[in-house]
Amino acid sequence: MSQSFRLAEGGRIDRSRTLAFRFDGRAYAGHPGDTLASALLANGVHLVGRSFKYHRPRGILTAGAEEPNALVGVGRDEGHYTPNLRATQVVLHDGLVAESQNRFPSLERDVGGLTDLFWKFIPAGFYYKTFMWPKTAWTRVFEPRIRAMAGLGRAPEIADAACYAQRYAHCDVLVVGAGPAGIEAALAAASSGARVILCDEQAEPGGALLAETDATLDGADVASFLATRLSWLQAAGQVTILPRTIAFGYFPHNMIGLAQDLTDHLGEPDDTQPRGRLWQVRAREVVIATGAIERPLAFPDNDRPGIMLADAARTYVTRYGVLPGRNAVVFTAHDSAYAAALALHRAGARIAAIADLRPDPSGELVEAARAAGLPIRPGCTLTGTEGRLRVTAATIARRDGGAGERLSCDLVLMSGGFTPSVHLFSQSRGKLRFDPALDAFIPGEPAEACRAAGAAAGTTSLADALASGRAAGEAAATAAGFTAPPAMAIAVANAPAATGGFLGATPHGRNSGAVRAFIDFQNDVTAKDISLALREGFRSVEHVKRYTTNGMATDQGKLSNMNALGIMSAELGRPIPEIGTTTFRMPYTPVPFGYFAGYARGALFEPERHTPIHDWAEEQGAMFEDVGTWKRARYFPREGETMHRAVARECRAVRASVGIFDASTLGKIEIVGPDAAEFLNRMYVNAWTKLKPGRLRYGVLLREDGFVIDDGVIGRLSDTRFHVTTTTGGAPRVLAMMEDYLQTEFPELDVWLTSTTEQYAVIAVQGPRARDVIAPLVEGADISGAAMPHMSMVECRVAGIPARLFRVSFTGELGFEINVPADYGRAVWEAVFDAGRRHDVTAYGTETMHVLRAEKGYIIVGQETDGTATPDDVGLAWAIGKAKPDFVGKRALDRAAFAGQTGRKQLVGLFTEPGDVVLEEGAHLVTDPDRPPPAEILGHVTSAYWSETLGRSIALALVRGGRDRIGETFHVKLSDRAIPVRLTDPVFYDREGARLDG
Amino acid sequence: MQRFSALALIRRALDGQAGWQAQWRDAAPKPAYDAVIIGGGGHGLGTAYYLARKHGMRNIAVLEKGWIGGGNTGRNTTIIRSNYLFDESAALYDHALKLWEGLSAELNYNVMFSQRGVLMLAHNVHDEQVFRRHVHANRLNGVDNEWLTPEQAKAFCPPLNIAPGMRHAVTGGALQRRGGTARHDAVAWGYARAASAIGVDIIQNCEVTGIDRDAAGRVSGVQTTRGAIATRRIGVVAAGNTSVVMAMAGLRMPLESFPLQALVSEPVKPCFPCVVMSNTIHAYISQSDKGELVIGAGTDAYISYSQRGALHISMHTLEAICELFPMFRRMRMLRNWGGIVDVTPDRSPIIAKTPIPGLYVNCGWGTGGFKATPGSADLFAHTIARDEPHPINAPFSLERFAEGRLIDEAAAAAVAH
Amino acid sequence: MLLIPCPHCGERPEIEFAYGGEAHRVRAADPRAVDDASWTDYLYIRRNARGEFEERWRHAHGCGRFFNLRRNTYTDMIDRGAAR
């Protein structure tokens, strides 16, 4: 189709190039500089969507971010498909593919449109009043139907092909909005030497100036004035101008979120380049110059395609060179519509009438329209429109009654005045103030270091906007510690102030039960719905919003809020400031999830932590598991081995000869200072004073309320130095807890804490031949059983590398843990492994480690404990230093209520009958497996394994009063059966500990 | 009470909707009530309803400082489930779930309870241990909960990414089929309407400024911005503001109030059939009847009553959502908001008598209060009417902290409620 | 994201810090001398003030130090003169 509504000249589009695009499968053409909306209008297309509830045909209503109707799905393929984009914001590019939404089978013939016939039966909130019976009908029938009718576009079905970027920025002054006020504010601030960021949602800066063709500024036309100002800004050096960038959120302490579109406007971008960038800007001062949004008038059938906001129509003519219609009826309460009527008139459209609600409109714009011979009808209202897929006629009448006059038309323009865009200011928690002259909320007392300027602050003329921007820029610079040099005021001509406005439903003299005047176009909320909500007792502005869904559509009330307030005010007989307004929340306009997710995807979603031995394990074909953020080798399968078989083999090797295990993920904290032992005395349940240098002790750490939070082996290197190990997941938590006590409760202690987790690789060598394996590699230490007993340590060299060698065992076998600097971890590991070959050394993973320790009844904090276990519950009462006056958690354990408790869950072992059944971890013990629910639960299985050593299954469990029930038989309920289990001591293997010595 | 039905909608269509009455009386405070409920959210309105309906108390007022349902009732992500680990919790939440199943009919108000199933994802061995413990415990308690393999989870929720190469691959999930969502506002309004119809006064814009006690120490009334009200029983159900209200009676609470954010996407056609939660990577998601994806995660780090949170929290939430559901990366955030959640040391609620005669408290629901609404209200009404807890809420006492009988679901399972 | 004044490092974004909860809670020098009820209070009871509130933060990803801050929990505004 040719661009039959494209004007021959004018506008900021490039007629020398033609862009081809498709909408609902049909081919169209437009030009660079167009939006999808302007290009569609140039082709005579108004019908672009269907409304949410009644599926009413809808056309392009606005020219900006506030568009409620023209929501389209855009994307060249599924990986680039985005639903619900406003056609008024989609920058046209060659090859653009767009489709309408919420219709079946086609936009012109939508089955859902049948709903509109039943509108009287489905007023606001109807769904709360029906579909309750029968109960299953709601889930099976009604809810799926409602869901299918609702929604707008469709979600993309495959993964997004794009990537996203993020950055932080700091500036002295952030100016939001590059319209006349914003540009002046940025210039003023920049001239003071302040670092300035100026952002604007549109592709080019200028805001309202981009559609202004009448005014002259300092004697120049608007376009050249704008070009000069922007060149000054660019020359100012410390100014960052961000087009296509929406300031979507205002966060505490002057942090503003910006969403910058980088590639959506470029046809077929390279997916390796970011599609958009999220900015987190910390600004000393903020200038909010976000403009104002024109309001619709709420008259009967005000929603037909071809009905448009007056200023939007003017923008299509002057900025895009498009005539939105040839025969227009204008309905207004504001001067702005006269400027629009004049622009259309000059572009060749017929103005059938200008119906003005005001009895006596006056002012420069009105006079200009009068002088141009436009038919002005003061004191008139619009009582209805006709036309299904496009408006064909409108009826106007005196607002005080009388017969209506039906005027044929293909376009209806409306203006109810302007609503300042106070969203960001309100998000910042600044107080809004109602200005009765403007009939609008404007920024009042700020809560953050910010100020509003221009139309957002309520100015009504270009001259005032420029001056207010200048003043705001200067004030912001001053507040940020700069001084802006004085500047000359700009001489503005031919840009008269535009005033007026109307809130609420316009008079129409018809049976109000039979007509619908839409307030929220997208959600199909009518004036009548607002009245109904009030009648049903929903008096709070938030209740009205939630009951009617007014303002909850994707435009978030940008067009609807004030008219709803107008109706509420009239019906409740209360002034608007008493009613208040709904809360403004981020984002100002919708922002893709991808912007927020940014780089955090795939491997970067959360960095993986690898030990120095990770690559070796990978080369050996290890299977890994996630433990916190670490990747740990779980087992080392040989060709064709299952996990079960590999673990059995690894277990046999450790018990029979020797195994090697990467324990590098253990948390490590170096505790140093004259009071190090005293500090440990106060933190851990154990006594530390008498621990000799060169010895190790198993420590248990409690929370202050007495429950086990961590454990680990602690070595004393000297009187003043301890090497503490923690659980893998607990390291940061333990260090933070220690710092808390050291800094805030025990500041008198002379102690330093250093995290050394990543400084050491830890190589565990376990098994009867462990000493044989490492002995040839150790220099500078006697590691014989006599010189280095179990639970001792020595500083020496292993394979030539300085090491802290621990004689320690988490398997029950003779064992060593070699701590070497992380960079040498792999080299030492390989040296030990090589040395071990003649002893048949076997690498084992966490699963084998779990089995071996379970055979010995060693607990794992977080598996045998769950935040509600005391040391005694898990059999660790022996560790408590009884003579100590105090340690973290002691006072809580000593509470009388605690001491008197019976039936606490205690750690026991379980033998299944028969012995080849491995229980499920997390399964529960019951007294009577045949009792119907609720069962009497005695406890649960915390660990369950096949014990290769014992040739049968073993399990650990927490069982109520378990220690007194050892020998008794209960049942563990699995999903399909109950397994008899006998309670045993939790140490299954080598109770005497003889094997620790090899 | 004007009965709601399809027939009523037809009748009112004929009179141009003129015949609808106010859903609840917008009452002015009377000088005295038999009981006063402080807090007009779902729990408070429900408490008043059950006091009137089941315990025969009719002279009751609900005092709301703003508009009813405007606190956490109207700010949550509406997830309902009862697959809790400990017997005490499972009993409490399943009592609520059973009431949810009949609530629309009971109130003659469609609260749109949708049993879409709640799927909790496991991502590692530890998660599996924890969730299997849940599944086993729930079954023994007669609460439905089943273990799904990754493939079964994907079949139940087709958008789910179960690629094994993911940073935190899905290793399975626990599914409660009876779980789901409901329309949060309707819960407040439905209870308000039903309570008002049997005599309860619902008093909005009435902030409590003081709690009066008589010489014996028993409560004797409240001071409000709309005057003094005498009463011998006060039930405090003030969620995030509980500490502030209880301080008026001189009681300090084991509570901290944190911001909790949630967000919705723009509405789209049905694309997400259930509720999915992942505690390991911190996010949960469902799709509302309107078509919005409703998304939430954990709290902000610090105490705040500001009803807003930090950007990096919502960023982290959406990182997780985009990993689990990469096709939603182009979906757009429509609205983000914050509530104030009151958290106890063991993250389980308190529904209890207090040391002050006549003063009762229902608080500490943390991030999981909505799902409990009918059960909490019913049990709290019982506690107030009988001056003793129901067996189900007896463990949820204030004294459990002194006695060391914590009900610590979160510590036990690393599960945010 | 709050902008938090670390007394040692200056203003830094919230993500560098760990929250430490209510300030001025003091662990008794000799917990044995404290009765059960008071110890339970110490463990569990919190001021949880709406409005002016003194709280602890730790510059976990900075100097590592704990410090006190006065913040209004209703507005989230920090009293930048009164930190320490």
Side-chain angles (χ1 to χ4, degrees):
Chain A
M1 200 190 286
S2 66
Q3 300 180 50
S4 50
F5 288 83
R6 182 74 72 182
L7 297 169
E9 57 187 27
R12 302 177 71 91
I13 47 162
D14 176 6
R15 288 180 178 76
S16 69
R17 286 173 54 212
T18 299
L19 306 175
F21 70 100
R22 300 182 81 84
F23 177 64
D24 275 352
R26 255 171 264 169
Y28 297 97
H31 296 299
D34 264 327
T35 62
L36 176 60
S38 69
L40 284 169
L41 289 173
N43 288 281
V45 177
H46 276 258
L47 174 67
V48 286
R50 290 276 176 167
S51 64
F52 192 88
K53 180 176 172 187
Y54 300 124
H55 286 238
R56 302 256 297 180
R58 289 284 165 77
I60 295 161
L61 184 67
T62 75
E66 67 274 25
E67 175 62 39
N69 290 342
L71 304 190
V72 295
V74 177
R76 65 179 192 261
D77 55 41
E78 197 60 26
H80 296 87
Y81 183 83
T82 310
N84 297 342
L85 294 180
R86 289 105 183 97
T88 51
Q89 290 182 296
V90 174
V91 173
L92 195 70
H93 60 75
D94 202 43
L96 183 129
V97 179
E99 63 180 21
S100 61
Q101 306 182 146
N102 206 31
R103 80 290 185 272
F104 178 83
S106 73
L107 193 50
E108 289 77 15
R109 289 186 188 77
D110 170 25
V111 180
L114 289 172
T115 322
D116 199 32
L117 300 175
F118 301 101
W119 66 269
K120 288 187 179 174
F121 302 95
I122 50 174
F126 75 94
Y127 29 77
Y128 299 127
K129 298 174 179 168
T130 182
F131 308 138
M132 285 172 277
W133 185 90
K135 205 171 84 181
T136 48
W138 167 247
T139 9
R140 301 242 176 93
V141 183
F142 298 121
E143 192 189 25
R145 283 305 306 149
I146 286 180
R147 283 176 176 262
M149 289 293 287
L152 287 165
R154 58 171 186 85
E157 283 164 16
I158 67 170
D160 178 15
C163 65
Y164 299 84
Q166 291 173 341
R167 63 171 290 185
Y168 292 94
H170 295 260
C171 65
D172 297 310
V173 179
L174 170 69
V175 181
V176 181
I183 288 174
E184 288 307 294
L187 273 172
S191 69
S192 76
R195 291 171 306 155
V196 176
I197 295 176
L198 171 64
C199 69
D200 191 274
E201 62 180 338
Q202 299 210 43
E204 54 177 333
L209 292 176
L210 299 172
E212 176 58 59
T213 48
D214 298 339
T216 55
L217 298 160
D218 279 345
D221 66 48
V222 171
S224 38
F225 172 84
L226 180 57
T228 310
R229 299 310 252 203
L230 292 175
S231 70
W232 288 356
L233 267 180
Q234 269 140 10
Q238 300 203 83
V239 180
T240 306
I241 302 178
L242 300 174
R244 299 186 190 90
T245 303
I246 288 177
F248 66 83
Y250 204 128
F251 303 92
H253 307 166
N254 256 24
M255 203 190 82
I256 289 81
L258 311 180
Q260 181 184 24
D261 162 26
L262 296 173
T263 62
D264 273 2
H265 60 289
L266 299 174
E268 301 215 348
D270 175 357
D271 284 330
T272 62
Q273 298 299 310
R275 177 185 171 219
R277 178 181 290 129
L278 184 95
W279 293 66
Q280 295 179 74
V281 178
R282 186 79 68 173
R284 266 182 219 286
E285 297 287 326
V286 175
V287 175
I288 297 170
T290 43
I293 292 171
E294 194 168 22
R295 280 192 303 279
L297 287 168
F299 55 88
D301 293 326
N302 59 341
D303 67 324
R304 300 186 194 280
I307 300 179
M308 189 179 269
L309 288 171
D311 203 52
R314 186 172 81 112
T315 298
Y316 287 116
V317 172
T318 59
R319 179 170 171 190
Y320 298 104
V322 171
L323 199 58
R326 304 198 198 281
N327 184 15
V329 169
V330 181
F331 183 29
T332 190
H334 189 272
D335 301 344
S336 145
Y338 290 84
L342 282 163
L344 264 82
H345 169 69
R346 282 187 218 125
R350 173 173 176 268
I351 305 298
I354 302 177
D356 197 323
L357 276 165
R358 298 171 294 183
D360 191 17
S362 61
E364 274 185 60
L365 286 166
V366 178
E367 294 317 316
R370 202 164 271 143
L374 303 187
I376 300 171
R377 309 280 287 270
C380 277
T381 190
L382 206 153
T383 63
T385 64
E386 297 162 42
R388 196 172 75 86
L389 301 180
R390 175 80 184 261
V391 67
T392 55
T395 302
I396 63 175
R398 301 277 318 157
R399 73 180 281 183
D400 45 17
E405 181 185 354
R406 183 177 177 281
L407 300 168
S408 291
C409 61
D410 64 356
L411 183 68
V412 173
L413 305 187
M414 56 182 167
S415 176
F418 286 80
T419 304
S421 290
V422 296
H423 305 71
L424 274 187
F425 182 83
S426 177
Q427 279 188 37
S428 80
R429 299 294 165 98
K431 293 261 185 303
L432 296 178
R433 181 168 69 78
F434 190 76
D435 183 329
L438 281 175
D439 253 358
F441 286 102
I442 58 171
E445 188 66 29
E448 296 272 2
C450 71
R451 53 196 51 70
T459 63
T460 57
S461 73
L462 180 54
D464 287 351
L466 291 164
S468 122
R470 175 88 213 170
E474 286 172 359
T478 305
F482 299 84
T483 308
M488 297 273 287
I490 299 159
V492 182
N494 215 16
T499 58
F502 187 89
L503 294 177
T506 58
H508 51 69
R510 296 168 63 185
N511 170 9
S512 63
V515 301
R516 276 177 293 173
F518 288 86
I519 305 293
D520 186 320
F521 287 76
Q522 194 176 116
N523 271 357
D524 280 332
V525 180
T526 64
K528 203 163 40 231
D529 289 324
I530 308 283
S531 306
L532 172 63
L534 295 171
R535 193 175 313 135
E536 291 197 80
F538 297 89
R539 302 271 165 91
S540 142
V541 62
E542 288 284 354
H543 276 156
V544 169
K545 167 183 156 181
R546 284 158 180 265
Y547 190 63
T548 63
T549 73
N550 188 71
M552 293 176 78
T554 64
D555 68 330
Q556 290 285 289
K558 291 186 181 69
L559 297 178
S560 59
N561 279 352
M562 290 307 292
N563 278 335
L565 279 178
I567 295 171
M568 291 181 66
S569 171
E571 299 213 1
L572 295 172
R574 294 165 61 197
I576 285 176
E578 265 183 39
I579 297 170
T581 182
T582 55
T583 316
F584 293 91
R585 295 282 188 181
M586 81 121 165
Y588 171 67
T589 53
V591 178
F593 288 178
Y595 281 59
F596 296 96
Y599 302 108
R601 59 198 288 186
L604 294 183
F605 174 73
E606 185 170 57
E608 288 179 0
R609 296 175 82 185
H610 291 179
T611 74
I613 293 130
H614 181 93
D615 291 350
W616 184 91
E618 207 162 43
E619 289 157 20
Q620 302 296 311
M623 302 300 287
F624 290 87
E625 69 165 329
D626 285 317
V627 180
T629 49
W630 290 100
K631 288 282 180 192
R632 299 194 74 179
R634 191 175 185 192
Y635 59 100
F636 291 82
R638 291 187 182 157
E639 186 88 29
E641 262 183 352
T642 60
M643 181 170 98
H644 177 77
R645 293 185 53 139
V647 169
R649 172 178 51 74
E650 292 170 13
C651 287
R652 281 194 306 269
V654 175
R655 295 269 181 246
S657 56
V658 64
I660 182 169
F661 174 71
D662 178 7
S664 303
T665 62
L666 281 182
K668 294 172 270 299
I669 300 168
E670 193 94 344
I671 298 188
V672 185
D675 298 321
E678 175 58 20
F679 179 66
L680 283 172
N681 276 338
R682 298 194 196 178
M683 295 304 301
Y684 281 79
V685 305
N686 321 66
W688 300 94
T689 312
K690 290 181 182 162
L691 185 72
K692 292 195 174 67
R695 304 306 295 240
L696 307 175
R697 182 163 285 165
Y698 170 72
V700 178
L701 184 70
L702 309 184
R703 297 193 312 222
E704 193 66 276
D705 60 1
F707 300 114
V708 176
I709 186 176
D710 205 82
D711 67 350
V713 169
I714 297 174
R716 187 165 199 171
L717 284 96
S718 70
D719 282 348
T720 58
R721 182 176 293 265
F722 288 82
H723 178 119
V724 173
T725 66
T726 73
T727 57
T728 293
R733 183 172 59 225
V734 171
L735 180 64
M737 178 175 164
M738 286 183 175
E739 285 285 0
D740 192 347
Y741 278 91
L742 179 60
Q743 291 184 36
T744 70
E745 300 295 350
F746 313 136
E748 71 280 8
L749 298 183
D750 194 357
V751 174
W752 292 269
L753 307 174
T754 308
S755 166
T756 52
T757 302
E758 306 243 332
Q759 270 55 52
Y760 290 102
V762 184
I763 302 161
V765 185
Q766 304 273 313
R769 294 160 91 171
R771 189 183 289 115
D772 303 337
V773 171
I774 66 164
L777 300 173
V778 174
E779 300 166 62
D782 177 358
I783 62 167
S784 67
M788 191 173 182
H790 181 55
M791 295 306 269
S792 66
M793 65 161 298
V794 65
E795 289 182 277
C796 60
R797 283 179 179 267
V798 176
I801 305 302
R804 289 179 179 174
L805 182 62
F806 286 15
R807 167 106 189 262
V808 66
S809 173
F810 199 44
T811 59
E813 303 296 330
L814 168 68
F816 293 89
E817 287 184 1
I818 308 165
N819 292 267
V820 290
D823 286 351
Y824 296 92
R826 179 161 177 176
V828 174
W829 172 279
E830 291 190 31
V832 174
F833 196 78
D834 280 345
R837 281 183 201 279
R838 44 194 203 97
H839 304 283
D840 194 24
V841 68
T842 299
Y844 65 96
T846 50
E847 192 65 23
T848 292
M849 177 268 284
H850 278 283
V851 177
L852 298 175
R853 65 89 202 173
E855 289 172 347
K856 286 293 295 176
Y858 296 148
I859 67 158
I860 289 194
V861 170
Q863 189 162 342
E864 271 67 40
T865 70
D866 63 3
T868 60
T870 65
D872 183 60
D873 294 344
V874 286
L876 296 177
W878 58 267
I880 297 175
K882 305 284 185 302
K884 289 203 298 179
D886 186 21
F887 57 81
V888 172
K890 177 176 170 62
R891 181 65 188 85
L893 288 177
D894 289 346
R895 282 178 291 171
F898 239 145
Q901 272 185 34
T902 55
R904 288 192 65 84
K905 286 188 180 178
Q906 294 168 328
L907 184 73
V908 294
L910 300 181
F911 276 142
T912 57
E913 291 165 10
D916 60 346
V917 182
V918 180
L919 295 170
E920 264 184 52
E921 286 164 358
H924 287 69
L925 278 85
V926 296
T927 43
D928 176 3
D930 301 321
R931 187 174 132 168
E936 189 193 342
I937 298 178
L938 293 172
H940 71 281
V941 178
T942 58
S943 297
Y945 307 99
W946 171 257
S947 166
E948 185 71 4
T949 315
L950 276 65
R952 60 160 304 141
S953 81
I954 56 167
L956 297 173
L958 286 170
V959 178
R960 291 194 194 286
R963 282 202 287 270
D964 292 336
R965 291 174 154 176
I966 283 176
E968 293 180 40
T969 296
F970 300 98
H971 287 81
V972 167
K973 275 284 270 236
L974 301 183
S975 52
D976 53 346
R977 59 200 162 136
I979 309 291
V981 293
R982 184 162 47 86
L983 268 55
T984 71
D985 186 276
V987 183
F988 297 98
Y989 181 66
D990 186 28
R991 292 202 58 186
E992 305 71 32
R995 297 189 62 85
L996 290 168
D997 289 321
Chain B
M1 187 169 79
Q2 193 177 24
R3 187 128 190 103
F4 287 163
S5 65
L7 189 62
L9 281 168
I10 293 168
R11 289 218 182 97
R12 297 286 85 80
L14 303 180
D15 72 11
Q17 315 296 344
W20 294 114
Q21 300 163 0
Q23 295 195 1
W24 65 87
R25 289 173 297 107
D26 199 9
K30 291 192 289 198
Y33 289 94
D34 294 339
V36 162
I37 306 299
I38 301 175
H43 293 244
L45 293 161
T47 301
Y49 169 75
Y50 292 115
L51 274 174
R53 173 83 213 299
K54 294 174 75 169
H55 303 282
M57 294 177 70
R58 293 295 158 91
N59 190 26
I60 303 168
V62 177
L63 308 184
E64 168 52 50
K65 76 170 173 172
W67 37 282
I68 61 168
N72 292 346
T73 297
R75 294 168 191 271
N76 71 90
T77 50
T78 80
I79 296 170
I80 294 166
R81 62 183 179 90
S82 67
N83 51 349
Y84 280 70
L85 177 62
F86 290 120
D87 302 356
E88 299 89 338
S89 315
L92 173 65
Y93 290 100
D94 213 51
H95 179 64
L97 186 47
K98 285 174 185 144
L99 290 173
W100 276 115
E101 286 169 335
L103 196 60
S104 291
E106 159 114 28
L107 300 179
N108 180 231
Y109 209 101
N110 189 351
V111 300
M112 303 187 187
F113 179 46
S114 175
Q115 292 181 292
R116 317 171 62 68
V118 174
L119 176 61
M120 302 173 76
L121 298 178
H123 298 273
N124 54 47
V125 177
H126 179 71
D127 283 357
E128 286 186 40
Q129 287 166 347
V130 167
F131 286 138
R132 284 182 189 275
R133 187 176 166 198
H134 276 67
V135 169
H136 286 298
N138 291 153
R139 289 204 168 169
L140 293 173
N141 280 314
V143 175
D144 79 298
N145 197 3
E146 60 197 278
W147 178 256
L148 301 189
T149 64
E151 293 71 28
Q152 289 170 324
K154 171 100 183 149
F156 190 72
C157 180
L160 182 63
N161 182 11
I162 56 166
M166 281 173 72
R167 174 65 183 88
H168 292 284
V170 174
T171 60
L175 170 65
Q176 185 177 30
R177 292 184 191 271
R178 284 162 69 223
T181 57
R183 173 89 184 105
H184 52 12
D185 290 330
V187 177
W189 302 338
Y191 273 124
R193 171 169 167 268
S196 178
I198 45 179
V200 173
D201 276 0
I202 291 158
I203 304 165
Q204 301 182 92
N205 300 307
C206 180
E207 182 170 359
V208 172
T209 55
I211 293 178
D212 301 332
R213 296 166 66 179
D214 63 18
R218 187 186 175 87
V219 299
S220 58
V222 293
Q223 300 293 323
T224 79
T225 49
R226 297 178 69 174
I229 299 170
T231 186
R232 303 274 291 162
R233 292 178 204 214
I234 298 173
V236 178
V237 207
N241 286 299
T242 301
S243 294
V244 178
V245 175
M246 296 300 276
M248 295 173 193
L251 270 189
R252 294 166 70 233
M253 298 294 290
L255 291 173
E256 291 183 301
S257 295
F258 294 97
L260 179 68
Q261 302 184 59
L263 63 97
V264 292
S265 74
E266 294 182 298
V268 285
K269 294 294 177 191
C271 65
F272 201 82
C274 57
V275 181
V276 170
M277 312 178 70
S278 167
N279 295 303
T280 296
I281 62 174
H282 300 298
Y284 37 90
I285 177 170
S286 65
Q287 188 175 21
S288 72
D289 282 334
K290 267 189 82 182
E292 300 147 332
L293 297 173
V294 184
I295 292 167
T299 64
D300 276 62
Y302 48 83
I303 291 174
S304 178
Y305 294 79
S306 66
Q307 297 195 327
R308 64 170 170 176
L311 176 57
H312 64 272
I313 302 289
S314 11
M315 288 169 71
H316 192 65
T317 306
L318 288 172
E319 288 166 9
I321 293 297
C322 290
E323 277 302 281
L324 290 173
F325 310 102
M327 72 285 290
F328 291 157
R329 214 178 273 132
R330 277 179 185 258
M331 293 292 292
R332 304 196 296 174
M333 182 200 287
L334 175 61
R335 187 177 169 88
N336 164 285
W337 64 91
I340 314 166
V341 299
D342 45 322
V343 179
T344 62
D346 63 0
R347 273 79 98 210
S348 285
I350 298 166
I351 315 172
K353 297 170 66 170
T354 71
I356 298 175
L359 183 66
Y360 309 86
V361 69
N362 181 347
C363 65
W365 292 95
T367 60
F370 179 73
K371 67 175 73 71
T373 305
S376 151
D378 182 38
L379 299 168
F380 195 42
H382 179 103
T383 306
I384 294 172
R386 307 277 183 89
D387 193 36
E388 63 179 17
H390 187 281
I392 294 178
N393 65 304
F396 296 89
S397 67
L398 267 170
E399 291 75 31
R400 73 174 186 269
F401 300 102
E403 292 164 0
R405 293 186 185 275
L406 304 190
I407 307 167
D408 202 336
E409 292 274 338
V415 169
H417 296 218
Chain C
M1 190 190 298
L2 305 180
L3 186 63
I4 295 175
C6 170
H8 310 289
C9 308
E11 291 187 326
R12 293 287 188 280
E14 179 193 331
I15 48 173
E16 292 185 12
F17 296 83
Y19 189 57
E22 183 176 327
H24 309 310
R25 292 173 57 247
V26 180
R27 191 179 189 272
D30 182 2
R32 291 172 301 183
V34 176
D35 66 21
D36 276 11
S38 305
W39 195 254
T40 300
D41 274 15
Y42 167 72
L43 289 178
Y44 299 120
I45 302 295
R46 297 290 182 275
R47 234 185 108 224
N48 198 26
R50 184 176 67 194
E52 294 301 318
F53 185 59
E54 288 174 358
E55 65 191 6
R56 311 183 316 148
W57 289 84
R58 176 173 178 242
H59 196 184
H61 300 288
C63 63
R65 304 298 293 171
F66 276 87
F67 57 94
N68 291 338
L69 204 65
R70 199 175 157 81
R71 184 174 57 94
N72 184 312
T73 59
Y74 189 67
T75 64
D76 289 335
M77 288 298 151
I78 290 170
D79 182 349
R80 286 173 201 276
R84 285 341 139 238

